[in-house]
Amino acid sequence: MKIFSELMSDNDFINRVIEIINGTCGDKYTIPAKKPDLYRYMKISEYAVNDITNNRITVTSVKEYNDMFDCGMCIYSDEEQLSKLVEDDLEELRKYGIETNSLKESSRTYFETEADLKQRTIDYMGAHLCCFSPVDSSVLMWAHYGDSNRGICVKYDFSGEINPLNLYTFPVAYRDKPINVSSLLYKKDTDYPYSIELAVMVSILCKSLDWKYENEWRFISPLFPDSDKRSRYQLMNLPRIKELIFGYHFLRNCYGDNWEIGIRNISKLLDYSLNNNIPVFIMLQGVGRFEMIKQKIDPAKASFFMKRNFIRKRNDDHLYHVIQKSFMRDVCGYNK
């Protein structure tokens, strides 16, 4: 028998996942043999900076995700499917000569309760994920996950067959309703020994159409029960970072109540890029169109700018736009 992490790199298992997802209504689902460039949007927080500078990523429990339907296992999605589950259950009893007229309501109650329990199964199993996007210039992603353009977007290296990010990262399928996995959970239509793992996998990879703008890819950590019920874990010694991209308003972190932490975090990122020869960019606003433009910057110049303009005292919020304009001129080379 194979464990879940082994199945995620098993071609037969993955082909079955693709077949199940494509059996539902929606765009054709594929998993490219070669991953595209993938990016992760984050706030410039202490834990995010520590992840970046210590070559690790944080995986988060599915119970922490903002979509209440995320990773829920579905055994019916409408009245017709519920009635079919009940009828199949009663038909099984009739085979053994059991009178079922009085059992219909109890069977229905069982499946309604079962649906509620199955909805939380993947959380109980210890699923932890990390989310990526194939684009670094999404206006919505920068607004929602890039801390209103104050955050950072990190490009990771997904090349190499033994790279764990490459092995366990898959695109999300967007559908108008959850994928019904009842036949897999109850093993009525298959003798495949990993039908429950299939149900878990397709449920993790299916999200509502409302989230389609994210074009999400998910790194799925190996499932393991967690008696401590920790929300987050750090995975160490992951492949290298290829780019650091600052949001247009990243200097906002140097103002407000946490200005000292903001200055320290940004300086730490710039030093890390210099020491590891990692290209650094900033996302700028396009002129005359709703488009973001990635501008390469010299981290040495940016680091010098930080030392020159942010001394050891609280910064006046009213000066932010003056300082940002200076950054555009001195670091980005904009003289407007």
Side-chain angles (χ1 to χ4, degrees):
M1 295 291 288
K2 294 183 177 181
I3 61 175
F4 192 74
S5 59
E6 292 174 322
L7 289 171
M8 284 194 289
S9 57
D10 180 86
N11 288 334
D12 179 61
F13 179 80
I14 295 303
N15 287 335
R16 288 172 184 267
V17 169
I18 294 171
E19 183 179 356
I20 292 169
I21 294 176
N22 280 329
T24 61
C25 294
D27 295 339
K28 182 175 174 59
Y29 180 78
T30 60
I31 300 177
K34 182 179 180 181
K35 301 288 190 299
D37 289 335
L38 292 175
Y39 303 84
R40 189 179 181 201
Y41 294 81
M42 295 179 280
K43 291 183 178 181
I44 300 179
S45 64
E46 285 189 280
Y47 93 82
V49 171
N50 286 334
D51 273 3
I52 292 169
T53 57
N54 288 288
N55 195 32
R56 69 190 187 198
I57 63 169
T58 295
V59 291
T60 303
S61 169
V62 297
K63 67 184 176 185
E64 299 293 323
Y65 279 67
N66 52 7
D67 178 3
M68 64 186 296
F69 300 102
D70 209 342
C71 296
M73 294 175 71
C74 171
I75 63 172
Y76 71 86
S77 55
D78 53 35
E79 180 63 29
E80 181 181 349
Q81 290 180 352
L82 173 58
S83 297
K84 185 178 187 309
L85 277 175
V86 171
E87 183 56 33
D88 288 348
D89 185 47
L90 297 180
E91 180 61 31
E92 192 69 22
L93 295 177
R94 293 188 196 107
K95 291 179 181 178
Y96 298 97
I98 299 175
E99 173 57 48
T100 61
N101 289 338
S102 62
L103 299 177
K104 187 171 184 179
E105 192 58 36
S106 62
S107 179
R108 182 185 184 89
T109 301
Y110 165 79
F111 281 112
E112 288 175 338
T113 304
E114 182 81 347
D116 185 54
L117 293 173
K118 287 291 186 287
Q119 180 73 18
R120 300 189 294 272
T121 297
I122 295 176
D123 171 28
Y124 176 77
M125 295 175 74
H128 289 70
L129 312 175
C130 186
C131 303
F132 299 89
S133 172
V135 295
D136 60 6
S137 57
S138 166
V139 174
L140 284 172
M141 296 291 280
W142 273 108
H144 295 168
Y145 299 105
D147 193 24
S148 300
N149 295 282
R150 296 187 293 258
I152 192 167
C153 183
V154 182
K155 180 180 179 181
Y156 288 92
D157 185 358
F158 277 79
S159 62
E161 292 184 1
I162 61 172
N163 179 338
L165 286 180
N166 188 39
L167 287 175
Y168 305 139
T169 303
F170 304 90
V172 167
Y174 298 95
R175 297 293 185 259
D176 60 356
K177 63 175 62 175
I179 297 176
N180 187 323
V181 295
S182 59
S183 62
L184 295 170
L185 294 176
Y186 301 118
K187 297 188 176 181
K188 291 178 179 178
D189 300 332
T190 179
D191 294 325
Y192 184 61
Y194 303 109
S195 58
I196 293 177
E197 289 83 353
L198 279 176
V200 168
M201 190 71 168
V202 299
S203 298
I204 288 176
L205 294 179
C206 179
K207 289 186 70 172
S208 166
L209 278 171
D210 292 335
W211 299 99
K212 190 173 181 179
Y213 76 90
E214 293 182 343
N215 197 10
E216 183 182 337
W217 285 64
R218 292 188 151 176
F219 171 81
I220 306 171
S221 72
L223 303 179
F224 53 91
D226 177 18
S227 58
D228 295 332
K229 295 298 180 185
R230 284 182 287 171
S231 297
R232 293 176 175 84
Y233 290 89
Q234 279 78 41
L235 301 181
M236 308 297 293
N237 300 318
L238 288 172
R240 68 186 181 87
I241 291 170
K242 297 178 74 173
E243 291 179 4
L244 295 178
I245 309 164
F246 286 98
Y248 181 70
H249 288 299
F250 81 98
L251 291 175
R252 280 283 190 194
N253 292 279
C254 304
Y255 295 82
D257 293 338
N258 297 316
W259 62 274
E260 289 181 292
I261 296 174
I263 293 172
R264 184 166 64 248
N265 284 339
I266 292 171
S267 298
K268 193 173 180 180
L269 288 170
L270 291 171
D271 289 344
Y272 176 75
S273 69
L274 282 167
N275 293 334
N276 293 276
N277 197 30
I278 297 172
V280 177
F281 300 83
I282 183 172
M283 276 297 177
L284 304 178
Q285 296 170 300
V287 178
R289 57 193 185 277
F290 296 124
E291 184 178 50
M292 306 186 86
I293 300 170
K294 187 164 72 171
Q295 168 76 44
K296 190 171 185 179
I297 61 175
D298 183 342
K301 284 186 178 181
S303 182
F304 177 76
F305 182 91
M306 293 292 296
K307 292 182 175 77
R308 187 184 67 190
N309 288 279
F310 296 103
I311 57 178
R312 296 181 180 275
K313 69 176 183 178
R314 185 184 179 94
N315 301 292
D316 186 345
D317 282 347
H318 297 292
L319 291 178
Y320 166 70
H321 291 291
V322 175
I323 294 297
Q324 189 199 39
K325 188 174 182 179
S326 295
F327 184 88
M328 292 295 114
R329 182 189 63 240
D330 298 343
V331 179
C332 298
Y334 283 17
N335 295 316
K336 296 180 181 180

